[in-house]
Amino acid sequence: MKNNSLTQKQGPKTQTVFIGSGISMSTAIGKARVINSGLGQVPKYHVSDTDVPDELKRFRNAVAKAQKQIARLKAKTSSLTDTTAEELELLLDAHAAMLVSTRMLLGIEKNIAELNLNAEAALEIVVEEIARGFEKVKDAYLAARVQDIKDVGSRILRQLMKTPYQIYSKIPKGSIIVAQELSPADTALMDPGSIAGLITEQGGSDGHTAIMARSLNIPAVLGVTKILSKISDGDTIIVDGDNGRVIVSPDHDTLEEFKRKIEARRRLNRQLTRLRSLPAVTQDGVLVGMQANIELARDVEEAIHAGAEGIGLLRTEFMFLNRSSAPTEEDQYQTLKTIITEMSGRPVTIRTFDLSTDNLPQSKNIRTKKSSNPLLGLRAVRLSLRQQRLFEIQLSAILRASIHGEIRILLPMVSSIHQVREVKKILRRVRSRLQKQDKIATDKVPPLGAMIEVPGAALIADSIIQEVDFLAIGTNDLTMYTLAIDREDEQVSNLFNPLHPAVLQLIQITLQAAHRSKKPVSICGEIAGDPRFAPLLIGLGVRELSMTSQNLPRVKQRIRALKTGPATRRAMAILDQTDEDQVQRLLDDFNDGI
Ligand code: PEP
Ligand code: MG
């Protein structure tokens, strides 16, 4: 992303505008809360022989405080939901275990006593040594442990240097988090009731952190390069998620303008909620199915509130994050049962885990080698077929939960018909085991679908659809793999364009394959939730959309204003284009006329 910053002197204060990727159609005003991932310069000095006992004491005190801190954090998990509490407890237990007579602690004490180093320097050397040792072994399980060691090391360092540890729950209500990077797992732990907005230096608009922020309805701008050095805790900030702008220390007029915008948005949202119970039907009577994409059970309420007719994409991999081991079959079953029951008969499309070797929780039974490029490595259905035990546990939980409502199973990142055939074999095995145990009914088989998000899969959509009951087009990954642009990388996010003629051709090929076979097809990438794309998608023949709940009313409003005839003619004209700028112009021009 461009590092555009525009400074304008306004008396004693300076208003500065930064540009990044706006990832939510919303705006917030709040006070900056800067999250420092590092601790700055670690002090390094020698202690005299006579001072060594005191230095050892200072170190042991810091360890004791870190232990108490973990115990306090553990006590706080009781206020969280069961699954989140359990996930955090596992992680905290692993960290607590490292604070009792481990090689790390003994090594640090040895460095203090024998090399006369201060505790901070002694600690830094040991953590680096252990990390280097682990990194030589190319094993993702050990790589994850390195992060744990670094986290525990930082916790002790914070005590030694008296730097408080950042926990999002302690951040004052209404804060805007400013961080170098936030993982989807960090974002999942945030409470949208207390965090007003998010700004990061790294990350693109279609990555999973962005998707998570959208799903929590937190206004956010990601990929704002070099903002951290220009911002301090407590600065007033406007997060303009609509236009990808961050305004630091806004002047009076700008602040008033944004307050008016926020109020107008609130009024519009109130009006839009009236659309909740109305169908998404075009002016000429064509009905479009409107479903929600969700990540966690807590998103169901919002989906129902927004008027979703079902869940078109449940990203189950979020059940595997923020924990040190994979969830058990019972954990997964309980979460799925809650979601399906709360949807009260509306269909729920459960996507099997889309994990990769860099975020799969490792354990004694599950060990994967680190991929040099996880996005092209063992990811999604490929990983499921390699880790069949883990996959069978998930399928078993899904099939057991299927008795509580209407479900569909969706496979991520399918690239060949063999993968689908292989999954069907495993599904039959799991089903017959559950039937023997009387855990599922014999007559109900959930429909099985494939995501089309790899160009090769789109090109053979005609064959893939013969093997499945429905298709879902994942335009986020389809764009990434077609244009070779990492969706999480802010340096190339300006090139990430789902309107690229090559992406549109692949969408069209997939839609035609589904229409020929008379099987359902939906779009569930981020473009489904952008009202500006609705005329193009409807014009191409899409009749099923799945999106983040917050965008549902606005997309519905646009569909209700459309006529399919003109939308189809415009979509065909767009498909004829070879220049992406011209595609954009033709679409903008059509939208302006609605
Ligand atoms: C997609 O790739 O478009 C999609 C919907 O899946 P995800 O964003 O979870 O990768
Ligand atoms: Mg995808």
Side-chain angles (χ1 to χ4, degrees), residues 362-382:
Q362 309 280 319
S363 68
K364 261 192 248 132
N365 302 327
I366 313 163
R367 287 197 181 195
T368 51
K369 265 201 343 213
K370 239 181 163 180
S371 291
S372 53
N373 186 342
L375 294 173
L376 297 178
L378 263 188
R379 184 190 157 185
V381 74
R382 306 170 183 182

Side-chain angles (χ1 to χ4, degrees), residues 67-96:
Q67 282 164 340
K68 276 199 196 130
Q69 201 177 43
I70 290 183
R72 275 203 304 276
L73 280 175
K74 251 191 99 169
K76 282 208 179 109
T77 57
S78 56
S79 61
L80 299 169
T81 59
D82 285 356
T83 356
T84 321
E86 200 184 312
E87 287 165 14
L88 279 181
E89 271 172 28
L90 283 168
L91 192 72
L92 292 173
D93 282 344
H95 285 195

Side-chain angles (χ1 to χ4, degrees), residues 208 211 313 315 351 379 453 474-477 487 524-525:
H208 284 108
I211 287 171
L313 174 65
R315 291 183 165 101
R351 178 174 76 183
R379 184 190 157 185
E453 43 188 354
T475 48
N476 307 334
D477 280 318
R487 54 196 267 208
C524 60

Side-chain angles (χ1 to χ4, degrees), residues 400-419:
R400 280 174 58 203
S402 72
I403 61 167
H404 301 288
E406 199 192 321
I407 70 142
R408 307 194 300 175
I409 300 175
L410 178 60
L411 305 174
M413 225 182 133
V414 168
S415 57
S416 88
I417 53 170
H418 297 292
Q419 291 168 328

Side-chain angles (χ1 to χ4, degrees), residues 23-320:
I23 61 107
S24 51
M25 285 187 260
S26 48
T27 306
I29 302 173
K31 296 280 181 206
R33 185 59 184 240
V34 180
I35 306 292
N36 283 316
S37 37
L39 285 160
Q41 196 65 31
V42 171
K44 291 185 180 106
Y45 51 90
H46 277 97
V47 285
S48 64
D49 283 344
T50 45
D51 287 341
V52 162
D54 281 350
E55 194 61 10
L56 282 171
K57 203 166 147 199
R58 192 169 76 87
F59 173 65
R60 285 170 195 152
N61 277 342
V63 172
K65 280 194 190 138
Q67 282 164 340
K68 276 199 196 130
Q69 201 177 43
I70 290 183
R72 275 203 304 276
L73 280 175
K74 251 191 99 169
K76 282 208 179 109
T77 57
S78 56
S79 61
L80 299 169
T81 59
D82 285 356
T83 356
T84 321
E86 200 184 312
E87 287 165 14
L88 279 181
E89 271 172 28
L90 283 168
L91 192 72
L92 292 173
D93 282 344
H95 285 195
M98 286 184 213
L99 287 168
V100 188
S101 322
T102 52
R103 196 180 123 204
M104 173 168 81
L105 298 190
L106 298 175
I108 298 166
E109 294 202 358
K110 195 164 169 238
N111 280 353
I112 298 173
E114 292 177 11
L115 303 179
N116 290 57
L117 285 175
N118 65 312
E120 290 89 340
L123 180 144
E124 198 176 50
I125 289 172
V126 171
V127 170
E128 271 171 19
E129 265 171 17
I130 299 179
R132 261 202 311 277
F134 275 76
E135 273 156 15
K136 274 190 207 129
V137 191
K138 285 222 176 296
D139 180 299
Y141 173 73
L142 295 181
R145 299 286 74 77
V146 171
Q147 195 50 49
D148 285 339
I149 288 165
K150 286 183 179 165
D151 287 350
V152 171
S154 300
R155 193 179 283 284
I156 306 172
L157 260 186
R158 279 172 210 281
Q159 293 303 333
L160 288 167
M161 293 167 68
K162 309 231 178 297
T163 317
Y165 196 74
Q166 297 283 4
I167 40 172
Y168 299 117
S169 58
K170 278 214 167 161
I171 284 172
K173 206 171 154 70
S175 299
I176 309 252
I177 304 273
V178 190
Q180 190 177 28
E181 189 179 13
L182 287 171
S183 69
D186 283 339
T187 316
L189 287 177
M190 288 181 185
D191 172 9
S194 60
I195 288 169
L198 295 179
I199 299 165
T200 63
E201 287 197 339
Q202 289 172 22
S205 62
D206 294 79
H208 284 108
T209 299
I211 287 171
M212 197 68 207
R214 239 177 245 130
S215 128
L216 292 173
N217 207 10
I218 301 181
V221 180
L222 307 187
V224 190
T225 38
K226 303 201 175 126
I227 192 170
L228 275 171
S229 58
K230 311 263 174 49
I231 221 163
S232 316
D233 259 349
D235 282 350
T236 301
I237 304 191
I238 297 172
V239 181
D240 177 1
D242 285 311
N243 301 304
R245 289 189 314 157
V246 175
I247 305 170
V248 181
S249 304
D251 59 48
H252 177 266
D253 289 354
T254 310
L255 201 56
E256 288 307 309
E257 179 197 331
F258 274 89
K259 281 184 185 161
R260 281 194 298 278
K261 274 192 185 163
I262 291 173
E263 193 37 50
R265 175 60 55 79
R266 277 202 194 111
R267 275 199 304 275
L268 178 67
N269 283 345
R270 278 198 294 272
Q271 283 165 12
L272 286 173
T273 40
R274 296 200 199 111
L275 289 178
R276 212 189 124 199
S277 49
L278 298 176
V281 63
T282 61
Q283 297 269 309
D284 51 331
V286 174
L287 194 64
V288 180
M290 301 289 278
Q291 308 221 4
N293 291 353
I294 67 165
E295 283 77 45
L296 299 164
R298 71 178 178 198
D299 303 333
V300 173
E301 201 184 320
E302 180 75 43
I304 294 174
H305 180 72
E309 294 152 19
I311 303 298
L313 174 65
L314 166 58
R315 291 183 165 101
T316 59
E317 56 277 7
F318 278 85
M319 293 181 201
F320 291 69

